[in-house]
Amino acid sequence: MGKKLVMAQKRGETRALCLGVAMVVCAVIAYYILGTTVLPLYQKSVWTQKSTCHLIETSIREQEELEGKKVPQYPCLWVNVSAVGRWAVLYHTEDTRDQNQQCSYIPGSLENYQAARADVEKVRATFHEKQIFYCFSATRENETTVLYQRLYGPRTLLFSLFWPTFLLTGGLLIIAMVKINQSLSILAAQK
């Protein structure tokens, strides 16, 4: 009976060790992936200064106004603001600026023109209601663009690192508990 108990205990310890090592390996892989994707985007983001923006004007640019400029056929919102004492163009996120520099806001659904137009009208109305809002500006003096929302800010980085850190900590705790259990078993067997 005692030998079967020891064999079952060893199998359980082996499985627990494998689980702990697998969790640590998965955490290391996740850290690598985050380090090569999210971290460079966070470091590249220059819009770090939180500022107060005052709305100057908004306009909806239709497809007719954008002819000949290699712009997709959808309505987009153009927003001019005053931020940190100078005129600037407001972009919704970093990706909006990269997708189309002539649009401050690009609607989410571009398949249906009427739905896209309604979405742009709703966002425009929201800007006209607020008039003064927080935005993110670059620390460079000659930068004439500001962001309404940062995609790659500190909060995103922390949320991205939470689960790998949880996996790493859990895996190391499992490995430590198994090793402590093994050493206590050896001490108990020696007495």
Side-chain angles (χ1 to χ4, degrees):
M1 181 77 177
K3 190 171 186 179
K4 286 184 181 180
L5 182 63
V6 170
M7 290 302 289
Q9 189 176 8
K10 280 191 176 188
R11 278 195 304 253
E13 287 174 353
T14 304
R15 289 177 183 160
L17 274 176
C18 287
L19 174 66
V21 169
M23 287 173 71
V24 169
V25 168
C26 286
V28 168
I29 291 170
Y31 278 130
Y32 175 76
I33 291 170
L34 290 173
T36 57
T37 57
V38 174
L39 192 60
L41 293 172
Y42 172 74
Q43 291 174 332
K44 190 174 80 170
S45 180
V46 295
W47 295 277
T48 56
Q49 183 180 351
K50 194 168 188 174
S51 307
T52 303
C53 285
H54 300 273
L55 185 68
I56 295 175
E57 69 170 324
T58 62
S59 64
I60 297 176
R61 295 189 171 183
E62 297 289 339
Q63 56 192 12
E64 297 86 23
E65 295 177 35
L66 302 172
E67 292 280 342
K69 294 187 180 175
K70 296 182 181 177
V71 175
Q73 304 290 317
Y74 54 81
C76 69
L77 183 65
W78 180 257
V79 181
N80 291 331
V81 295
S82 171
V84 267
R86 64 182 183 271
W87 174 89
V89 176
L90 178 76
Y91 290 104
H92 185 236
T93 63
E94 293 100 329
D95 290 347
T96 307
R97 184 173 185 257
D98 293 339
Q99 286 174 357
N100 185 349
Q101 290 192 357
Q102 298 172 351
C103 291
S104 295
Y105 174 77
I106 299 171
S109 173
L110 300 176
E111 290 82 32
N112 184 352
Y113 183 84
Q114 296 302 325
R117 173 75 184 199
D119 187 23
V120 169
E121 289 283 351
K122 183 175 141 188
V123 171
R124 182 181 187 189
T126 304
F127 277 123
H128 280 285
E129 280 177 21
K130 290 184 180 179
Q131 293 286 321
I132 298 173
F133 49 88
Y134 288 111
C135 59
F136 294 95
S137 60
T139 54
R140 295 185 296 221
E141 287 297 319
N142 58 352
E143 187 67 44
T144 59
T145 59
V146 293
L147 297 181
Y148 183 68
Q149 176 182 356
R150 284 182 71 188
L151 285 180
Y152 311 112
R155 174 183 267 173
T156 304
L157 191 63
L158 287 175
F159 284 145
S160 299
L161 294 175
F162 173 75
W163 285 109
T165 304
F166 184 72
L167 265 176
L168 181 67
T169 306
L172 290 175
L173 281 174
I174 289 173
I175 292 170
M177 286 190 300
V178 168
K179 289 300 181 183
I180 289 171
N181 188 31
Q182 286 176 345
S183 63
L184 289 176
S185 296
I186 291 171
L187 286 175
Q190 288 175 351
K191 288 185 179 180

